[in-house]
Amino acid sequence: MSTTTSHLKSAARADTAAEAALYAKVTWRLLPFLFLCYVAAYLDRVNVGFAKLQMLNDLKFSETVYGLGAGIFFIGYFFFEVPSNIIMHRVGARVWIGRIMITWAVISAASLYVSSPAMFYAMRFLLGVAEAGFFPGIVLYLTYWYPAARRSRMNALFMIGIPIAGVVGGPLSGWILNAFAGVHGMAGWQWLFLIESVPSLVLGVMTLFYLPNSIRAAGWLSDAEKRILEDNIAAETHAHADHSLSRVFGNARVWLMAAIYFCCMMGLYGISFYLPTLIKAAGVKDALDVGLLTAIPYGCAVVSMLLVARSADRMRERRWHFAIVSALGGLGLFLSTVYGANVALAMVALSLGTAGMLATMPVFWTYPSSLLSGTAAAAGIAMINSIGNLAGFVSPSIIGWLKDMTHSTNAGMYLVSAALVAGALMALLQPRELVNR
């Protein structure tokens, strides 16, 4: 090997190491904060699953009323998702994400005043309107900073907010329900809505001061560092297949992605809104014990999300990674009905179902950003998320109705399990050259 060749290889290694250090710097600055925001967001979205353990009896709600109320959140979410993401793309993440978090915190806290089905539906609808744009906004925001080859891992670091919200929120919610019942004349479920809204309010205010809108606006980066990051994004953006906003809604691949994500969300919200109920049905009666046990499936999901995302990025393979874990998620939820009367076996099955289903999410969200860029990405990501999240209305509504009809959640879990398997099969229809970047 010549001296010149050796020097060139050494310089390339140095450049690679310097770039890795730069991305590590960006990641440590942004991801812990975004992760905390998502934990708070998801806790406020699904703590109604724990409130249900007391609220239905206190307010004399049926399972159908609960399922419809839990799901109606996503109707408000659906109508305001795309406009919210386009606004964020134009005005910047700092103000818009801060606005979203502050408004949803206020509405979540106000849910303690619910006293009738109509009020329950109204508060859940308004919470969906307030939160619309948060998740797809952050997914879009990460595309401003990271090229496709790094996005599965970055998505995973952000999206593990879902299982961490379960790990932390389950025991916390169970404790609040027990410890605060009757304090100052309020029920435990009322304190649950009030106390768990505080982190969102605090983080929303912090967002207004902490989050830079873009690479160029980041005062903690040097000009040379900004150029490296911007050049990497620019080089990739020029290779995207579709930049036109008008063509997003007529793109068959975008609609296929929305259908796949709908199946994912059938699983996510089947678990999120009914995991405490499934554990209680297995024979666990105390609210704190239910909360502690919900941490187990979510803890398994933290590990699966990180390992699957890392493998997908390293191998540059995303279709089979998604399909396998989605199918395993469906299998786990099916087995949770088979062994529903045995606490230990039900927990194993629910852990498999939760770990498999949640591992799909960071891999899936590399798909849209491989196809779209700019305003088209803002609209496309929001459209996929809003359509997919309609499953958050369908899933709990059908499960609640079926439970009232059959006095069991089994039929609902069969439906959710089938949806996850269908999502796995549809993922294999994605063009390999498009998603395996």
Side-chain angles (χ1 to χ4, degrees):
M1 182 185 293
S2 69
T3 302
T4 301
T5 302
S6 178
H7 281 270
L8 287 173
K9 288 190 174 182
S10 297
R13 283 195 298 270
D15 286 345
T16 301
E19 189 169 291
L22 173 57
Y23 278 108
K25 178 180 179 179
V26 171
T27 299
W28 278 108
R29 178 77 183 198
L30 297 180
L31 267 298
F33 182 75
L34 296 176
F35 160 78
L36 288 175
C37 290
Y38 198 32
V39 169
Y42 202 75
L43 195 59
D44 281 345
R45 181 187 297 188
V46 302
N47 58 10
V48 69
F50 276 95
K52 171 182 184 285
L53 299 178
Q54 294 180 352
M55 187 170 66
L56 265 63
N57 184 62
D58 288 354
L59 301 180
K60 311 303 180 189
F61 287 176
S62 69
E63 291 284 347
T64 301
V65 168
Y66 167 74
L68 181 59
I72 208 167
F73 168 97
F74 297 97
I75 301 300
Y77 200 84
F78 173 80
F79 284 112
F80 289 88
E81 186 93 322
V82 173
S84 180
N85 230 34
I86 292 174
I87 291 171
M88 194 206 83
H89 183 65
R90 291 176 177 171
V91 307
R94 181 172 56 83
V95 170
W96 198 244
I97 296 298
R99 190 283 305 165
I100 289 173
M101 295 189 69
I102 291 168
T103 53
W104 94 50
V106 172
I107 293 170
S108 182
S111 297
L112 68 90
Y113 294 109
V114 166
S115 60
S116 67
M119 288 182 67
F120 183 45
Y121 300 153
M123 296 308 297
R124 292 293 296 175
F125 178 82
L126 291 174
L127 189 64
V129 171
E131 194 182 321
F134 175 78
F135 177 83
I138 299 299
V139 171
L140 177 65
Y141 182 70
L142 292 175
T143 69
Y144 299 164
W145 295 84
Y146 295 98
R150 297 178 181 270
R151 282 185 199 143
S152 282
R153 284 167 291 174
M154 296 308 107
N155 287 342
L157 289 173
F158 166 58
M159 293 175 194
I160 58 171
I162 295 176
I164 291 296
V167 171
V168 175
L172 175 63
S173 297
W175 175 74
I176 291 171
L177 289 176
N178 278 357
F180 284 81
V183 175
H184 296 298
M186 287 172 34
W189 62 268
Q190 293 176 303
W191 281 106
L192 179 69
F193 286 129
L194 179 62
I195 293 172
E196 292 187 352
S197 69
V198 173
S200 297
L201 182 62
V202 172
L203 288 166
V205 173
M206 289 178 63
T207 300
L208 299 175
F209 301 95
Y210 185 84
L211 202 65
N213 283 331
S214 63
I215 294 170
R216 186 53 47 185
W220 37 272
L221 293 173
S222 68
D223 288 341
E225 290 172 330
K226 291 175 184 178
R227 279 194 299 273
I228 292 171
L229 297 173
E230 289 172 338
D231 287 349
N232 286 347
I233 295 298
E236 190 172 81
T237 299
H238 292 313
H240 284 167
D242 194 344
H243 301 269
S244 170
L245 177 60
S246 62
R247 292 174 61 191
V248 167
F249 301 100
N251 190 316
R253 290 176 179 172
V254 173
W255 284 99
L256 176 61
M257 290 179 191
I260 294 169
Y261 195 56
F262 183 91
C263 293
C264 290
M265 295 298 96
M266 285 290 289
L268 177 62
Y269 293 114
I271 289 173
S272 297
F273 291 130
Y274 280 93
L275 183 57
T277 300
L278 294 170
I279 293 173
K280 185 176 181 179
V284 182
K285 301 304 180 185
D286 184 78
L288 179 57
D289 291 338
V290 171
L292 291 170
L293 286 173
T294 60
I296 296 173
Y298 285 121
C300 294
V302 172
V303 177
S304 69
M305 290 175 78
L306 293 173
L307 291 180
V308 172
R310 181 179 180 181
S311 175
D313 276 352
R314 179 174 55 83
M315 297 177 67
R316 298 290 181 91
E317 199 295 314
R318 308 190 192 280
R319 294 189 310 160
W320 282 102
H321 277 79
F322 179 96
I324 290 170
V325 293
S326 187
L328 287 174
L331 175 63
L333 293 186
F334 173 78
L335 292 176
S336 74
T337 64
V338 175
Y339 301 110
N342 184 305
V343 175
L345 292 177
M347 290 305 302
V348 171
L350 288 169
S351 295
L352 174 63
T354 305
M357 183 276 302
L358 279 169
T360 64
M361 292 188 62
V363 178
F364 173 83
W365 281 110
T366 63
Y367 294 177
S369 56
S370 296
L371 178 65
L372 305 166
S373 64
T375 302
I381 289 171
M383 176 187 138
I384 290 165
N385 191 61
S386 61
I387 292 173
N389 270 288
L390 283 177
F393 174 75
V394 174
S395 184
S397 298
I398 291 180
I399 294 172
W401 176 73
L402 288 172
K403 187 175 182 184
D404 274 341
M405 294 295 102
T406 65
H407 306 290
S408 171
T409 56
N410 286 1
M413 288 300 109
Y414 295 150
L415 176 66
V416 169
S417 176
L420 287 170
V421 174
L425 295 175
M426 285 191 288
L428 297 178
L429 299 177
Q430 292 280 17
R432 181 174 58 187
E433 66 278 5
L434 171 65
V435 299
N436 290 344
R437 292 187 179 184

